[in-house]
């Protein structure tokens, strides 16, 4: 990544891009604020104190990572992504307390360190089924005892096929797709981002997003196969759901 990427981004435009990113993502995941509230309430209920180390996987421009850092100010938060454009936006906006890491989830060892909470929101659909299973194994390895993994994505409920079919496509999905295209189109008009956009195009040419969508039961099975004892659906909004998987606690913890 060019070392000047952060310095060349105008702060006002950077703030605008990140704010509009939040609006775009709300179109894809309308229940995002509730999901975040559920994550924080769950972690607070499970732990005797705030989490010390958090990783947001596929964290994009760092909106969720920033909110997690604000929720738990003493936590060391790490954002991981592969997209050079989104990484530049994150590096240009996030405080120094949030580490921003360029990593490929298809490569072993992307979760360097040990974490109390790992989140992956609208990330795993970029991976194929074999890669998602490997993702769960790597996340399990990286979690501290009693740590929690939350994976939120398109995860239809296999027990409600007629309901899931009726909700596909979701209300507002076409508008969200248009907003997504317009958001990237705005960035494409920014000279300071041209090299990063070219690099992004090459990355996704070599490894295009899978678009793999599996039912929540498939993800729960994959998490159990990875070694998680406790797994379940923590949150649902239509066809989107969040899986929670907890590493076994030690020393008599909850």
């Amino acid at each position: 990544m060019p070392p000047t990427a952060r310095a060349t981004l105008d702060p006002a435009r950077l703030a605008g891009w990140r704010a509009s990113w939040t609006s775009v993502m709300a179109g894809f995941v309308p229940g995002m604020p509730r999901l975040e509230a559920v994550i924080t309430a769950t972690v607070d209920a499970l732990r005797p104190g705030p989490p010390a180390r958090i990783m947001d996987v596929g964290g994009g421009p760092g909106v969720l990572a920033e909110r997690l850092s604000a929720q738990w100010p003493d936590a060391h938060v790490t954002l991981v992504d592969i997209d050079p454009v989104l990484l530049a936006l994150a590096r240009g906006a996030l405080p120094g307390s949030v580490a921003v890491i360029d990593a490929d989830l298809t490569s072993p060892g992307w979760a360097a360190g040990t974490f109390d909470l790992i989140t992956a929101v609208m990330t795993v659909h970029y991976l194929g089924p074999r890669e998602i299973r490997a993702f769960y194994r790597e996340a399990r390895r990286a979690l501290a005892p009693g740590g929690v993994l939350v994976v939120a994505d398109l995860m239809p409920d296999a027990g409600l096929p007629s309901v899931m079919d009726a909700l596909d496509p979701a209300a507002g999905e076409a508008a969200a797709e248009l907003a997504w295209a317009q958001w990237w189109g705005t960035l494409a008009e920014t000279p300071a981002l041209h090299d990063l956009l070219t690099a992004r195009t090459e990355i996704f040419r070599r490894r295009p997003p899978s678009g793999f969508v599996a039912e929540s039961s498939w993800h729960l099975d994959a998490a159990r196969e990875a070694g998680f004892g406790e797994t379940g659906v923590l949150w649902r909004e239509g066809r989107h759901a969040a899986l929670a998987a907890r590493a076994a606690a030690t020393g008599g913890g909850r």
Side-chain angles (χ1 to χ4, degrees), residues 69-83:
S69 181
Q71 175 70 25
W72 295 297
D74 294 331
H76 179 83
V77 179
T78 299
L79 179 153
V80 170
D81 209 300
I82 193 175
D83 189 315

Side-chain angles (χ1 to χ4, degrees), residues 66-164:
E66 187 172 36
R67 289 200 282 254
L68 293 173
S69 181
Q71 175 70 25
W72 295 297
D74 294 331
H76 179 83
V77 179
T78 299
L79 179 153
V80 170
D81 209 300
I82 193 175
D83 189 315
V85 177
L86 300 183
L87 286 167
L89 302 190
R91 289 190 173 104
L94 292 174
S97 58
V98 180
V100 180
I101 306 297
D102 183 348
D104 185 347
L105 298 184
T106 65
S107 299
W110 53 263
T114 304
F115 301 89
D116 301 309
L117 171 65
I118 298 176
T119 57
V121 177
M122 295 302 291
T123 297
V124 297
H125 67 273
Y126 281 85
L127 308 175
R130 181 181 301 178
E131 295 164 334
I132 294 175
R133 290 190 176 95
F135 166 84
Y136 282 118
R137 290 193 296 271
E138 181 71 7
R140 173 63 190 87
R141 182 201 60 75
L143 277 174
V148 176
L149 167 69
V150 178
V151 177
D153 219 300
L154 273 170
M155 295 184 189
D157 188 329
L160 294 168
S162 62
V163 175
M164 296 296 104

